[in-house]
Amino acid sequence: MAPVDIEDVWDMLGFGRMQLAIFFTCCVLQMYVSNEQLGLSVILVAGAGELKIDNERMGWLIACVFFAQVIFGHYFGYMTDKIGRLKVLFRTLIMTILSSFLSAFMPEYWSFLVLRFIVGVFITGLAVTLLTYLSEFCSLALRPKVHNFVSYSIGVSMIYVPLAALSLMYLNVHVHVWENYEITNWRVLILINLLPGILGVCLLYRLPESPKFYLSINKHEEAMVVLEKCCSVNKGKNVTLASLGVDKVTQSRLRDSQIEHN
């Protein structure tokens, strides 16, 4: 039997429970990305006095974070094609959460800047990969709609961060640690912004790698395993790919394993 194009397989499987789980996970990750990217401006206003951040320092801090995203965007795009979408998502998510968590406890400007630069480096992996990962589980017809709905998570983040900041302002958090160092509102806000990322770690842990990635590196058996799992989750355990007339899958523009890339 001739191989079936993977796009036709997605048309057969539809947008079921597997896609909903991946869609929800990507919404949570997109919200976390926006928390880190856009929430920094709120954090800096609150922490400017404690970290002695004037207008020049604030400009350098914001520029440094976005500069990290610009210079590492190409690298993480390359890595998603080399080691897989899920590995890049999971590893960069862990590193982003860890570096952001540490930045919440930095006592002065320069250590805070270094750690926020590291956040900018790893948040890039999430930003450039999550939509690719989601789209590779959806049919061509659904991809624009799915991407559009995921973008609403940015709006949710724009409500979440200011609302959390407003709540903390009324709480007026001041926990003395040593000498002049205190845990104050803006440090707690960084930790609150981490919550969608922590949820994202739990959700990503149970999701499969993209079958399109497996096909691109000539791992057809692994791709079939993922597709079989999607089939059982969406259609029920009694439905298999074979029962739908699919014994082997392929996709256009498969990578040539003989080509060496530099």
Side-chain angles (χ1 to χ4, degrees):
M1 184 178 292
V4 179
D5 192 283
I6 192 171
E7 302 297 348
D8 295 328
V9 176
W10 290 133
D11 287 332
M12 297 177 192
L13 299 182
F15 194 88
R17 286 181 294 174
M18 178 62 80
Q19 282 76 14
L20 284 173
I22 294 171
F23 172 77
F24 178 73
T25 301
C26 288
C27 284
V28 171
L29 293 179
Q30 181 62 71
M31 180 180 174
Y32 176 57
V33 169
S34 299
N35 283 4
E36 293 291 356
Q37 289 179 325
L38 307 177
L40 183 62
S41 58
V42 179
I43 292 166
L44 289 181
V45 172
E50 192 172 336
L51 294 179
K52 297 181 176 59
I53 301 176
D54 55 19
N55 289 339
E56 182 179 354
R57 282 188 167 190
M58 185 173 293
W60 276 108
L61 183 56
I62 294 174
C64 187
V65 171
F66 283 99
F67 179 67
Q69 296 178 50
V70 171
I71 61 175
F72 281 91
H74 181 272
Y75 171 75
F76 283 113
Y78 164 74
M79 290 304 294
T80 59
D81 287 336
K82 184 176 181 180
I83 67 173
R85 287 73 163 113
L86 197 62
K87 286 182 179 179
V88 169
L89 282 173
F90 196 79
R91 293 175 184 179
T92 56
L93 177 58
I94 293 294
M95 292 304 299
T96 303
I97 291 173
L98 179 60
S99 52
S100 184
F101 177 82
L102 292 175
S103 75
F105 300 99
M106 291 301 102
E108 44 78 40
Y109 172 76
W110 294 107
S111 57
F112 183 76
L113 182 143
V114 169
L115 279 165
R116 296 312 300 186
F117 176 82
I118 296 173
V119 170
V121 170
F122 289 107
I123 201 73
T124 310
L126 290 174
V128 304
T129 308
L130 67 91
L131 288 180
T132 300
Y133 179 68
L134 173 62
S135 67
E136 292 185 348
F137 282 87
C138 301
S139 65
L140 284 170
L142 285 176
R143 283 173 198 167
K145 295 179 182 179
V146 170
H147 285 187
N148 185 48
F149 281 113
V150 168
S151 68
Y152 289 142
S153 301
I154 300 173
V156 175
S157 172
M158 289 180 176
I159 297 172
Y160 174 90
V161 175
L163 190 61
L166 184 63
S167 302
L168 287 170
M169 181 181 71
Y170 287 111
L171 290 177
N172 194 25
V173 178
H174 285 279
V175 179
H176 183 264
V177 180
W178 77 83
E179 296 181 357
N180 295 325
Y181 183 85
E182 292 182 327
I183 302 298
T184 51
N185 299 42
W186 68 272
R187 298 183 188 277
V188 178
L189 181 58
I190 294 178
L191 302 180
I192 291 176
N193 288 348
L194 294 177
L195 295 179
I198 295 170
L199 176 59
V201 172
C202 301
L203 295 172
L204 271 180
Y205 184 75
R206 296 182 61 85
L207 294 181
E209 179 57 89
S210 165
K212 294 188 68 128
F213 167 72
Y214 281 136
L215 289 176
S216 73
I217 58 173
N218 298 307
K219 291 188 175 182
H220 297 273
E221 292 182 3
E222 287 84 348
M224 287 296 293
V225 170
V226 175
L227 289 170
E228 198 71 66
K229 182 178 180 180
C230 292
C231 181
S232 64
V233 171
N234 286 5
K235 300 290 187 180
K237 294 183 178 180
N238 296 328
V239 181
T240 64
L241 291 176
S243 67
L244 297 175
V246 180
D247 290 322
K248 189 176 181 181
V249 293
T250 187
Q251 66 176 339
S252 58
R253 302 193 302 271
L254 283 174
R255 191 182 308 179
D256 189 341
S257 59
Q258 301 302 315
I259 296 177
E260 293 185 3
H261 299 277
N262 294 319

